[in-house]
Structure formats: C-alpha cells, structure tokens
Amino acid sequence: MSHVEDELTSQPECWTRAAKEAGRHRAVLPEPGERVAIVGCGTSYFMAQAAAVLREGAGQGETDAFAASEFPRGRTYDRVVALTRSGTTTEVLDLLGALKGSTRTTAVTADPATPVAAAADDLAVLGFADERSVVQTRFATTALTLLRAHLGLHTDAAVADARTALVTPLPEGLADCGQLTFLGSGWTVGLAHEAGLKMREAALAWTEAYPAMEYRHGPISVTTEGTATWMLGEAPAGLAEQVGATGGRWIQGTLDPLAELVRVQRLAVAVAGRRGLDPDRPRHLTRSVILTP
C-alpha cells in the first residue's frame, strides 16, 4: 500500500480527533466578529477557500481566502490564518514575516519544529495528521475539520460518511473517463478545486473545476461521451439533465462534501495505479515548495 492510500484511509479517525481538540485550540483560532483572511498554497489554498465561506456563512465575520503569494498587503485584517502542512513553504513564511507585529497570525500545521513556529504568533498543531506522501489527503481535510468544529459545523455524520466513502465501490467505469470536471457551490467550490488537483497530481488526469452555476458559461462545451461531471454538494436545478444531454456522465455526490472528496482521493489513487504511476512520487512535485534566492 502506498503512503497516500494508508493516509487517506485514516481520515475518519483524524477528523474525530481534530473535532475533539478544537476546544483546546480555541484561543488561537478566529473569534466571532474578527475580520479574517485564511491563506495557503496548493491544497491548503483550496481548504482556505472552503473555510472562509463556511465562517462568513456562519455569521462569524468577514472572511477572505487567498493564495499566500496573492495576499493583498494593503488590506487590514484582525487575524490571518495560514494553513501549512510542512511549515516550510516559502510564500507562507514570507507573508507571515511581513505581517509580524502588525497583524495577529495563526498557523495550522503538522510540524511545529519548522520555521513557521517563529514566523507565526500562534500555532494549532495537528501532528497526528502529518503525512509522508507528497500528495496531501488527511492533513488538508483534518485542518478543515478543525475549522468546521471551531465554527460548530462539524457533526459525527461527516465522519460516518467518510467511513462510507472508504468502503463503497467507486462508480463503475469512472476510472476510464478521459476527462473529469468537478463542481461545487458555496464552501464546496474549494473542495471541487481540490478534487481536480488531486486527480492531476496523483494520476496526471485532465480535470477542471468550477462553481456549479459557472459550468454552463463555457466549460460545459468540453463535456461529451467519455467524460464525467462530479457534483460535490447540492446541484443547481436542471444541471444534471443538461450534462446528460451532452452524452457526458453525471456523478451526484450524496455524502457530506468533505467525505465526497475522500471518494475522489480514492479515484485518483485508482487511476494512478491503472496508468502505472506512483501516487507517492508525483511528477515535478515535492512535499513543500521552498524557493531559494
């Protein structure tokens, strides 16, 4: 079993532990009413997108999400939360360093023995969710679970759905599709982008991701026989029928959207295996992007 397979199967246990520990991290996570930005790179950026929508939707305060390299330095926030598994990503460390002394910062990380410990004002450490694989699975979803629990939005049903996602067979023939599009709405748009990234990283697959209502505005033109469109969360009325009319395959997610992402992770590993790829060693990628002058 590859590292990524082993790690993605441990997600129900990681989510349960993160939810239990949310209270211990309360003091370093955003308070209601704070104006917050959540940042990250790659997978962590997409988790930041999901978390930002959840927080603002819960009435906790204005919340934005940015790739760390695209943070608007002239904008004022009460707190910036950085999601960083490795604690060594250059763009995240540069941003935290620039904010030092002016904006309160919290890093959610898997490894406190890294430069992020000095760069951030506060740490929320999820060491139990750290990973050996380059491709992120459990750390990303566990960090989002921590934030969901902090907002009072995590339920045991999400964990139960994750267990279902691990044992339910994937849709027959899906691994043979030549192109996959992932759709989301609200907080699941970030999950859709992450689903597409997982397939590209692990399996070198042609994937795209969009807000569901945007799919009709051009992207649906690539949908045809031999492609699949996977909806994470509730679909807009009529969209499934429109996809069906193209000859493409429609996959409607029925589990908690974060658990539905686990199904996509499994698909990525399955497609990688069919193509003779090692999902632990994705092409051109490393566990952390560390830039040198």
Side-chain angles (χ1 to χ4, degrees):
M1 181 179 290
S2 64
H3 295 314
V4 69
E5 288 178 276
D6 180 58
E7 288 157 0
L8 74 85
T9 59
S10 69
Q11 288 174 106
E13 291 74 26
C14 288
W15 297 3
T16 298
R17 182 167 175 181
K20 288 180 178 178
E21 294 188 4
R24 181 166 64 84
H25 296 297
R26 183 175 293 113
V28 303
L29 295 175
E31 297 179 2
E34 286 186 331
R35 189 166 188 257
V36 172
I38 309 176
V39 303
C41 297
T43 289
S44 292
Y45 170 44
F46 298 141
M47 296 298 103
Q49 290 180 328
V53 175
L54 285 171
R55 183 176 186 269
E56 190 159 317
Q60 294 287 297
E62 186 174 317
T63 313
D64 295 321
F66 301 102
S69 59
E70 297 299 318
F71 182 83
R73 300 295 179 95
R75 197 174 295 182
T76 302
Y77 291 95
D78 299 312
R79 184 186 301 268
V80 171
V81 177
L83 306 182
T84 170
R85 175 181 64 174
S86 69
T88 60
T89 303
T90 297
E91 298 101 301
V92 172
L93 295 177
D94 285 350
L95 175 60
L96 293 175
L99 296 174
K100 199 76 170 179
S102 62
T103 303
R104 193 75 183 174
T105 60
T106 295
V108 180
T109 186
D111 188 356
T114 58
V116 77
D121 297 313
D122 301 303
L123 292 181
V125 179
L126 303 175
F128 59 89
D130 202 358
E131 297 161 327
R132 295 179 65 184
S133 177
V134 170
V135 174
Q136 282 200 57
T137 54
R138 71 182 181 191
F139 177 78
T141 61
T142 300
L144 183 54
T145 296
L146 174 71
L147 297 175
R148 288 179 84 183
H150 177 65
L151 295 170
L153 300 176
H154 172 79
T155 68
D156 290 340
V159 176
D161 278 359
R163 297 189 192 280
T164 299
L166 290 171
V167 299
T168 303
L170 294 169
E172 187 175 350
L174 195 58
D176 296 319
C177 288
Q179 188 275 339
L180 292 97
T181 299
F182 297 96
L183 304 178
S185 179
W187 75 281
T188 69
V189 172
L191 301 188
H193 285 299
E194 170 58 10
L197 179 62
K198 279 290 90 64
M199 294 295 300
R200 291 191 291 273
E201 288 179 328
L204 304 182
W206 172 20
T207 63
E208 300 181 359
Y210 303 96
M213 291 295 288
E214 284 294 303
Y215 187 52
R216 298 179 175 97
H217 295 271
I220 196 171
S221 64
V222 304
T223 305
T224 187
E225 185 176 352
T227 73
T229 302
W230 192 328
M231 181 72 208
L232 282 73
E234 185 176 353
L239 187 54
E241 292 76 15
Q242 284 184 284
V243 169
T246 69
R249 187 170 180 182
W250 174 263
I251 307 296
Q252 174 59 56
T254 58
L255 303 174
D256 179 278
L258 196 57
E260 202 69 26
L261 180 60
V262 175
R263 296 181 72 206
V264 180
Q265 294 170 350
R266 287 181 55 211
L267 177 64
V269 171
V271 174
R274 290 170 68 96
R275 296 181 176 181
L277 302 171
D278 182 351
D280 284 336
R281 296 175 177 83
R283 191 171 66 180
H284 310 317
L285 298 178
T286 56
R287 188 173 185 273
S288 173
V289 176
I290 301 174
L291 305 177
T292 56

